[in-house]
Amino acid sequence: MQMAAHSMKPLAGALALTFLATLAGGSLLSLVVEAFRGSTEGFAAFDSYLWRIARFTILQALLSMVLSVGFAIPLARALHAQQNFAGRAMILRLFALPLALPALVAVLGITSIYGRNGLIAAIFSWLGLDNVPDIYGLTGILVAHVFFNLPLATRLLLSSLDSIPEDYWKLSSQLGMGNWTQFKLIEWPVILRNISGVAGLIFMLCITSFTVVLTLGGGPRATTLEVAIYQSLHFDFDIARAVSLTLLQLCLTVAILSLLSLAGRPTEEGFSIRTTTRRFDASSSASRAWNTSVILIGFLFIALPISGTVLSGLSADLVRLMSEATVWRAIVTSLVLASLAATLSLAVSLSLVVAREFSATKRRYAKAGIFERSLDLGASLIMVVPPIIIGAGWFILSRHFVDPFSLAPFMVIFVNAAMAVPFTFRILRPSWDTAASRHNQLCAQLGITGWNRMKIIDWPVLTRPLGIAFAFAMALSLGDLGTIALFGNDSVLTLPYLLLQRMGSYRTDDAAGLALILAALCLILMVIADRGANRLIRRDSNNNG
Amino acid sequence: MVKPVLNGMSIRLDAVRFDYGEMAMHFDASIEASSITAIIGPSGSGKSTLLNLIAGFEKPASGAIQIDDVDVTDLPPSLRPVSMAFQDNNLFAHLDVTSNVGLGRKPDLKLDPADIKSVQTAIQKVGLAGKEARKPDALSGGERQRVAIARALVRNRPVLLLDEAFASLGPALRHEMLGLVADLHRETGMTIIMVTHHPDDALRLSSALLFLENGRIVASGPAKDLLSDRGPALLRNYLGSKESGL
């Protein structure tokens, strides 16, 4: 295909790659340099305390993974078997919520149920029992991680169950297979194919979980590497320890990701909630009762903390909160930083997408070159180098030149933008690639090139996916606590940071109110993204012009 | 409007070689000005590639392509005297009928009154009057292909390539579209080359026929001769196996 030989597209891609590489590479370089500068000190920091934290990091992630997946299997099975269950669609929608909620908000919801003054404690004391549940520590971390990951695992496994051809169910009911035989012969093989991917994903999410462990972990006994990095930088200012912790965390993520790449990724359903495949067997009343109770338990486990957030948020003094200048400042700061981060994230991922498609189209039947493959890799770089590591690296590096805390707004924008790139890249790429494959020949024939093509052809197709990606990236950035916790100070106060401060000073009502505001902002953005995405899918399936 | 009085142009492929993955394709062909030629052959035999080479979407590894005795081998698609309609994706889904046709006139859509006049006439001619403001998703499959033909009309290029443009239409609609093509051909004298899965299309338009196999033209001549019982054995096998496969 003939194209303008001097296209700006590869240049844009190279710029985006440079940004991501500098962000991640700069922090890694700083860590390595620091480790060798104070070599004796740095390596001495690898003491038993460090290993204990590493062990706990892995242990909590393993347990969270086993619990989430272990309960997700019967739950996904039950949801798949009970296609006509009243409120099934509502439950699936509800299960999309935890991932959209900022972790801090979810933590407050969980304490409102399981905490010292929570629902369960209230029921216990009403029953006259005086053993008050203590959520802080491993228990709390596990409850929160299962709260986030059970719905994720369930949705992923359900979509793999949905991929079983209808004919299998016809056959199995014709052959009169029992419940157990069906599970063993039909469902388990499909689950098995996806389970390693799902489990790996959850394990990775829990290894890098920061907010949950920071707020629900109980002191040095129950802390993870990421939280320990934060504490050594923010409170102890112990650079040597921070460096060794960060390097350890980095080795851990790299090791796990290489294992994960062997395990393969779970097939994802994206935003949409697929509707039914029909089941033909008349299920026994015993299995129906079992399924119903599994669904009910799963529903309560997710729904209770969410309603807890809403109820305690509503009972907070919202009017007073909204009259506080600090609260307004935090909201405005959060919105401004999040929009800037989202804009940057879109610019970066769109450049990657466009440059990738350009070089893929140009090479035609040849193999992908290094540039194209690095564009793909760049999009997921942030998975290997988690935000806290980037933050820690730049914190340590920048303290030689400036006051690290003065970098807060820039770090929040840069790191949050990079954090959102894997997602925005995945939202933009299919739209762009489809549009390009439909339009490239036509545009070449009609001589529509350059600015004309951007204005008449590409932009109208891109507006909706860009809007979706923007809303998604902004929600992600709004709810993020990691970077701002590291760099945050009173001059740059975001909503999650203010929330954390109020929690820290035991102003629980304020915290609940702020959590509700934060959750509302994120959910509005997520609903916009979700609606847009559904319409996009419908539009794509409707017309092939 | 500019009256589409055109004379078709002749097309020659001289020892054109093209490597499609593993398969090396090799084309030698000569197509008369203002003729209608149908290309048939099994899938993967290179029918679409042949059209893509003429339109300029693919570049030959060696050999030359001449249109009207001018070498166009190095010209980009937009500068060749060629319009092409595909099976799908002929239209931009977010633009209405008028804009989709208008792009054939001005790639920046800045249409002057003369352009608008010619776009309107073309839309009428393909029988879509009254549907100018519709988006492609509000059109039927047949109507979408009519828009593509209208655009080819306003482009006023002497060669029209149809790449299975009517393959996704039902039999009645397909015949209707072939009728439209025949009318346009009578009126404009365009050189028309069409890839089709239906040999009777070629008979209907009483066209010439190219039969492709494994990236080579293995038989050519008037359709009514090649498709008769006395046609070459190769072709009889293809047609026979096709019927038994139905």
Side-chain angles (χ1 to χ4, degrees):
Chain A
M1 188 149 328
Q2 310 283 329
M3 290 241 177
H6 51 292
S7 180
M8 303 289 281
K9 288 172 179 174
L11 182 67
L15 275 177
L17 264 186
T18 314
F19 165 73
L20 291 168
T22 313
L23 197 62
S27 86
L28 293 186
L29 190 71
S30 123
L31 290 170
V32 171
V33 167
E34 203 67 44
F36 281 103
R37 266 162 45 112
S39 51
T40 47
E41 205 191 343
F43 290 109
F46 277 94
D47 52 15
S48 64
Y49 167 72
L50 210 77
W51 293 119
R52 214 171 58 231
I53 295 176
R55 260 208 318 276
F56 183 80
T57 307
I58 297 174
L59 176 75
Q60 59 83 22
L62 265 180
L63 287 175
S64 307
M65 175 191 89
V66 169
L67 288 173
S68 304
V69 177
F71 190 49
I73 293 175
L75 186 52
R77 246 198 117 211
L79 282 167
H80 188 255
Q82 307 296 123
Q83 299 281 352
N84 301 319
F85 190 78
R88 182 177 181 273
M90 195 267 292
I91 290 177
L92 288 182
R93 221 166 267 281
L94 178 79
F95 276 18
L97 265 184
L99 278 183
L101 277 183
L104 206 48
V105 175
V107 163
L108 278 173
I110 285 164
T111 46
S112 77
I113 303 299
Y114 306 95
R116 237 160 291 177
N117 303 309
L119 181 68
I120 295 198
I123 294 175
F124 274 26
S125 76
W126 183 69
L127 289 174
L129 301 167
D130 47 312
N131 54 344
V132 180
D134 180 19
I135 192 172
Y136 294 96
L138 184 59
T139 331
I141 295 174
L142 292 184
V143 169
H145 282 168
V146 175
F147 172 80
F148 282 115
N149 295 311
L150 171 65
L152 174 70
T154 307
R155 279 162 59 105
L156 288 173
L157 289 181
L158 185 62
S159 82
S160 64
L161 287 179
D162 280 341
S163 72
I164 297 174
E166 203 174 85
D167 294 346
Y168 284 23
W169 299 116
K170 284 186 183 160
L171 262 179
S172 84
S173 66
Q174 194 170 60
L175 299 173
M177 283 187 193
N179 196 7
W180 174 247
T181 326
Q182 264 185 1
F183 178 69
K184 211 173 58 179
L185 293 183
I186 301 182
E187 292 168 288
W188 180 243
V190 178
I191 292 177
L192 195 64
R193 231 179 295 137
N194 290 284
I195 205 166
S196 57
V198 176
L201 180 68
I202 292 175
F203 187 64
M204 191 66 205
L205 288 174
C206 294
I207 283 278
T208 54
S209 150
F210 173 77
T211 311
V212 164
V213 182
L214 179 69
T215 46
L216 288 176
R221 254 187 327 112
T223 199
T224 56
L225 288 168
E226 293 220 340
V227 172
I229 294 168
Y230 160 73
Q231 277 159 346
S232 59
L233 284 180
H234 206 78
F235 295 115
D236 314 335
F237 219 80
D238 184 345
I239 301 291
R241 165 146 292 156
V243 167
S244 41
L245 284 166
T246 312
L247 289 176
L248 199 57
Q249 169 82 19
L250 188 67
C251 296
L252 202 56
T253 29
V254 170
I256 293 162
L257 275 178
S258 16
L259 275 179
L260 259 185
S261 66
L262 295 179
R265 251 201 270 133
T267 45
E268 284 166 67
E269 53 168 342
F271 283 105
S272 69
I273 296 165
R274 187 119 51 92
T275 42
T276 58
T277 37
R278 210 147 66 84
R279 292 282 288 261
F280 298 87
D281 40 342
S283 50
S284 70
S285 55
S287 74
R288 259 207 314 278
W290 161 257
N291 285 338
T292 310
S293 25
V294 169
I295 294 175
L296 204 64
I297 293 172
F299 169 73
L300 286 177
F301 186 73
I302 304 303
L304 280 177
I306 291 177
S307 22
T309 310
V310 175
L311 289 179
S312 47
L314 287 178
S315 65
D317 195 347
L318 284 173
V319 179
R320 184 183 53 74
L321 265 181
M322 293 308 278
S323 64
E324 265 186 56
T326 326
V327 172
W328 277 108
R329 208 176 51 141
I331 292 179
V332 171
T333 309
S334 270
L335 287 176
V336 169
L337 291 182
S339 339
L340 290 173
T343 310
L344 180 60
S345 177
L346 253 53
V348 169
S349 47
L350 187 61
S351 305
L352 293 177
V353 166
V354 167
R356 210 204 67 87
E357 183 268 327
F358 179 80
S359 62
T361 305
K362 215 170 59 171
R363 73 182 152 87
R364 319 264 11 223
Y365 310 109
K367 266 206 183 129
I370 293 177
F371 180 58
E372 189 185 329
R373 269 178 293 153
S374 14
L375 289 169
D376 269 331
L377 275 179
S380 39
L381 187 66
I382 198 78
M383 311 289 245
V384 190
V385 192
I388 290 283
I389 293 191
I390 294 186
W394 282 97
F395 190 98
I396 293 168
L397 180 69
S398 64
R399 78 182 205 289
H400 296 301
F401 314 105
V402 286
D403 170 20
F405 294 105
S406 69
L407 292 180
F410 304 103
M411 286 317 292
V412 169
I413 292 171
F414 290 162
V415 174
N416 284 354
M419 257 167 68
V421 164
F423 302 98
T424 48
F425 181 82
R426 251 142 92 200
I427 295 170
L428 296 178
R429 192 183 142 183
S431 297
W432 176 270
D433 285 1
T434 315
S437 74
R438 279 185 194 162
H439 297 162
N440 278 349
Q441 285 204 334
L442 211 48
C443 287
Q445 166 149 106
L446 299 174
I448 308 173
T449 53
W451 171 242
N452 267 334
R453 170 155 183 184
M454 194 64 212
K455 196 180 63 181
I456 304 177
I457 309 302
D458 293 334
W459 180 249
V461 177
L462 268 183
T463 42
R464 190 176 291 277
L466 278 175
I468 295 166
F470 186 86
F472 192 88
M474 197 171 159
L476 203 65
S477 167
L478 262 185
D480 179 53
L481 180 66
T483 318
I484 193 67
L486 212 50
F487 286 89
N489 54 70
D490 286 332
S491 69
V492 184
L493 198 62
T494 65
L495 207 43
Y497 197 58
L498 180 66
L499 178 49
L500 186 69
Q501 282 187 345
R502 297 281 159 102
M503 278 169 81
S505 50
Y506 296 103
R507 292 166 71 178
T508 322
D509 268 6
D510 279 11
L514 289 172
L516 190 63
I517 297 170
L518 182 58
L521 287 174
C522 287
L523 284 184
I524 289 170
L525 288 168
M526 283 296 187
V527 168
I528 293 174
D530 186 62
R531 283 276 161 82
N534 282 336
R535 214 170 307 159
L536 192 70
I537 290 162
R538 234 174 302 138
R539 188 180 73 181
D540 274 0
S541 57
N542 271 347
N543 55 57
N544 298 314
Chain B
M1 102 174 234
V2 190
K3 210 168 179 280
V5 265
L6 285 172
N7 287 310
M9 289 180 171
S10 64
I11 300 165
R12 269 168 63 96
L13 283 84
D14 261 335
V16 167
R17 223 197 72 212
F18 181 76
D19 298 319
Y20 186 88
E22 297 284 277
M23 194 184 358
M25 299 187 167
H26 197 281
F27 299 114
D28 270 298
S30 171
I31 289 163
E32 273 177 49
S34 297
S35 63
I36 299 184
T37 306
I39 303 179
I40 62 171
S43 17
S45 59
K47 304 187 293 290
S48 292
T49 308
L50 181 53
L51 290 199
N52 283 337
L53 283 164
I54 297 172
F57 296 127
E58 305 280 11
K59 259 184 113 102
S62 64
I65 298 168
Q66 291 183 343
I67 300 182
D68 202 25
D69 297 322
V70 176
D71 191 330
V72 296
T73 319
D74 293 320
L75 281 186
S78 61
L79 297 183
R80 298 189 183 197
V82 172
S83 288
M84 181 157 165
F86 316 102
Q87 182 175 346
D88 303 301
N89 300 326
N90 282 303
L91 307 182
F92 297 106
H94 61 282
L95 298 177
D96 63 15
V97 169
T98 305
S99 305
N100 264 301
V101 176
L103 279 173
R105 202 79 194 179
K106 295 275 167 67
D108 57 2
L109 266 186
K110 295 195 174 107
L111 303 175
D112 59 31
D115 294 328
I116 294 174
K117 189 99 204 318
S118 107
V119 166
Q120 282 168 348
T121 316
I123 293 175
Q124 268 166 22
K125 193 160 282 175
V126 298
L128 287 179
K131 296 182 175 168
E132 289 86 350
R134 291 208 190 170
K135 296 270 177 73
D137 58 357
L139 296 174
S140 71
E143 288 170 335
R144 289 181 199 170
Q145 299 310 65
R146 284 169 187 268
V147 179
I149 303 241
R151 184 171 56 215
L153 276 179
V154 301
R155 290 191 82 213
N156 240 346
R157 310 259 163 140
V159 176
L160 176 63
L161 308 177
L162 302 171
D163 188 3
E164 297 191 35
F166 312 134
S168 51
L169 307 179
L173 262 181
R174 206 178 83 238
H175 286 135
E176 216 176 282
M177 296 302 290
L178 288 173
L180 180 64
V181 169
D183 289 348
L184 294 176
H185 181 250
R186 254 195 310 281
E187 195 173 323
T188 63
M190 281 191 275
T191 308
I192 297 176
I193 308 179
M194 54 190 284
V195 166
T196 176
H197 276 305
H198 300 275
D200 34 315
D201 289 359
L203 291 175
R204 201 188 137 86
L205 295 178
S206 59
S207 68
L209 191 72
L210 298 181
F211 179 66
L212 265 63
E213 210 173 52
N214 292 323
R216 265 156 223 274
I217 299 166
V218 290
S220 62
K224 60 178 192 304
D225 296 349
L226 288 182
L227 293 174
S228 72
D229 296 338
R230 300 176 313 280
L234 271 171
L235 215 69
R236 284 208 309 274
N237 285 339
Y238 168 68
L239 298 171
S241 71
K242 202 173 167 193
E243 268 153 35
S244 69
L246 280 175

